[in-house]
């Protein structure tokens, strides 16, 4: 009996050692090749800016290159669908947005992916307000100095003003649709394949107004090319402390349309890989250099756990379903 007991204890010990060794091996095996971060919008927008800010941090942390790849189209749906159907091996990530994982399910009759079932949430990277901007020269010509002026001009000539967005179903589009609904105005919507090309036309004076993510518009606001009329959050942004909220400036009680961005992976991605990416992302976001960089751009760093991010996405899906219904926004 003593012999058998010793044999059993030895076997258990060896099995435990093998398990620990196997786990360590599995963790060290990933990543052994470059990791792709898919940005579902064109280069130059806030989604792209945040992905490119995080890629070198993750590259340093894991000793492998994290590559940003832009796959724009259909309000972020093209890139999101690509990742949803990618192997769940940790080598393809998506910089998900409030559009791909909050708005689009309510806005589109049919999505090629399920924002919950097809993805493994990793962590929130950042939250940002949008900002209502108008071409500075057009503002002078039209006599628009604030949100109330804009509403007056828009009501006087329905359809005369053009509204740019980063694509159908994006937070930029829906922020504008919510504004139209609450202010009783009408602007013709022009969707682009990302924020950057839309901003080019805004700066050139080909478009009148845009409810852009703050980080991508901020350089143009500071250069004087664009005039900021209001931020879409319920509180002013530290990056633009003198710019009022649309709620206060336009007397639009309850107006709130903020954006967020976070890492997700294909459903079934190993839990230990998801956990490691979350931990290193959170560590980078907490570092003074990255934190200060994001705050200066008007972004608020995230870093929550996968479980917390999953609950957040669930809440956002419910919230935006109500907003889409109330605003009457449609994909055109």
């Amino acid at each position: 009996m003593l012999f058998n007991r010793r044999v059993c204890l030895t076997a258990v010990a060896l099995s435990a050692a093998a398990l620990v060794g196997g786990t360590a091996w599995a963790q060290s095996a990933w990543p052994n090749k470059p990791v792709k971060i898919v940005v579902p919008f064109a280069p130059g927008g806030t989604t792209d800016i945040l992905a490119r800010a995080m890629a070198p941090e993750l590259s340093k942390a894991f000793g492998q290159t994290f590559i940003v790849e832009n796959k724009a189209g259909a309000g972020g749906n093209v890139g999101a669908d690509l990742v949803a159907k990618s192997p769940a091996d940790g080598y393809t990530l998506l910089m998900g947005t409030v559009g791909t994982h909050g708005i689009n399910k309510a806005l589109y009759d049919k999505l090629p992916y399920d924002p919950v079932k097809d993805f493994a949430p990793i962590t929130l990277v950042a939250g940002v307000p949008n900002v209502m901007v108008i071409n500075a020269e057009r503002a002078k010509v039209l006599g628009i100095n604030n949100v109330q002026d804009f509403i007056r001009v828009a009501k006087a000539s329905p359809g005369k003003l053009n509204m740019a967005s980063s694509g159908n179903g994006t937070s930029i589009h829906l922020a504008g649709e919510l504004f139209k609904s609450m202010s009783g105005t009408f602007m013709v919507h022009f969707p682009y394949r990302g924020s950057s090309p839309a901003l080019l036309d805004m700066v050139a004076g080909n478009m009148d107004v845009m409810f852009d993510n703050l980080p991508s518009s901020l350089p143009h606001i500071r250069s004087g090319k664009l005039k900021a009329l209001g931020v879409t959050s319920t509180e002013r942004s530290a990056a633009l402390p003198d710019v009022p909220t649309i709620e206060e400036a336009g007397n639009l009680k309850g107006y709130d349309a903020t954006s967020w961005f976070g890492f997700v992976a294909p459903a079934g991605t190993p839990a230990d890989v998801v956990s490691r990416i979350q931990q290193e992302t959170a560590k980078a976001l907490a570092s003074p250099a990255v934190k200060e960089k994001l705050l200066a751009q008007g972004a608020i760093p995230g870093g929550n756990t996968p479980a917390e991010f999953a609950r957040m996405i669930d809440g956002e899906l419910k919230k935006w379903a109500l907003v889409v219904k109330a605003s009457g926004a449609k994909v055109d």
Side-chain angles (χ1 to χ4, degrees):
M1 290 293 293
L2 181 61
F3 172 77
N4 289 340
R5 185 181 178 188
R6 285 175 177 169
V7 169
C8 289
L9 289 173
T10 301
V12 169
L14 288 172
S15 297
L19 181 61
V20 172
T23 301
W25 179 85
Q27 290 181 341
S28 63
W30 181 93
N32 57 22
K33 62 179 182 180
V35 177
K36 181 167 58 180
I37 301 174
V38 174
V39 169
F41 297 100
T46 299
T47 318
D48 185 68
I49 290 171
L50 291 173
R52 293 184 189 280
M54 295 309 303
E57 300 297 323
L58 294 176
S59 296
K60 286 187 290 184
F62 291 109
Q64 279 289 350
T65 303
F66 278 65
I67 304 167
V68 175
E69 185 174 298
N70 299 85
K71 292 290 182 182
N77 293 341
V78 171
D81 186 48
L82 172 68
V83 175
K85 293 176 172 56
S86 294
D89 54 10
Y91 289 98
T92 305
L93 310 177
L94 174 73
M95 181 60 86
T97 72
V98 64
T100 61
H101 284 73
I103 296 171
N104 290 1
K105 187 174 183 180
L107 198 66
Y108 289 79
D109 289 334
K110 292 182 180 180
L111 279 185
Y113 63 91
D114 187 300
V116 175
K117 295 179 181 178
D118 291 341
F119 294 92
I122 299 175
T123 190
L124 173 72
V125 172
V128 302
N130 288 9
V131 59
M132 182 182 183
V133 291
I134 185 170
N135 177 276
E137 291 301 319
R138 288 282 288 157
K140 289 179 182 178
V141 171
L142 295 170
I144 295 175
N145 295 304
N146 51 50
V147 176
Q148 290 283 13
D149 286 343
F150 184 91
I151 293 174
R152 173 180 50 79
V153 172
K155 283 186 173 181
S157 303
K160 178 181 178 180
L161 300 177
N162 295 324
M163 182 182 79
S165 84
S166 55
N168 285 316
T170 62
S171 67
I172 295 171
H173 170 208
L174 199 57
E177 293 292 345
L178 185 59
F179 178 87
K180 287 160 64 175
S181 174
M182 293 182 69
S183 64
T185 56
F186 175 70
M187 296 88 77
V188 180
H189 175 223
F190 287 83
Y192 288 74
R193 292 174 64 85
S195 179
S196 185
L199 282 171
L200 288 176
D201 269 359
M202 281 290 298
V203 171
N206 298 323
M207 288 286 121
D208 298 309
V209 67
M210 186 173 176
F211 294 76
D212 191 33
N213 300 144
L214 181 53
S216 47
S217 271
L218 199 54
H220 302 293
I221 294 170
R222 288 173 173 164
S223 72
K225 298 290 185 181
L226 298 180
K227 181 179 179 63
L229 298 182
V231 292
T232 64
S233 51
T234 56
E235 295 182 0
R236 296 192 181 199
S237 169
L240 291 173
D242 296 329
V243 176
T245 67
I246 289 176
E247 181 180 45
E248 61 177 305
N251 195 27
L252 301 177
K253 187 174 176 58
Y255 183 91
D256 179 20
T258 53
S259 300
W260 54 262
F261 309 82
F263 286 135
V264 295
T269 299
D272 66 303
V273 172
V274 168
S275 178
R276 291 173 66 197
I277 297 172
Q278 184 274 326
Q279 290 171 12
E280 293 300 335
T281 300
K283 190 183 298 182
L285 290 170
S287 69
V290 175
K291 190 173 184 178
E292 289 173 13
K293 181 178 180 180
L294 294 188
L295 288 173
Q297 294 176 333
I300 302 171
N304 56 4
T305 67
E308 290 168 339
F309 193 31
R311 287 194 293 271
M312 176 184 159
I313 290 173
D314 182 63
E316 288 289 289
L317 286 165
K318 293 173 181 175
K319 167 190 170 181
W320 286 104
L322 295 175
V323 173
V324 169
K325 183 178 180 180
S327 69
K330 299 291 182 182
V331 171
D332 47 25

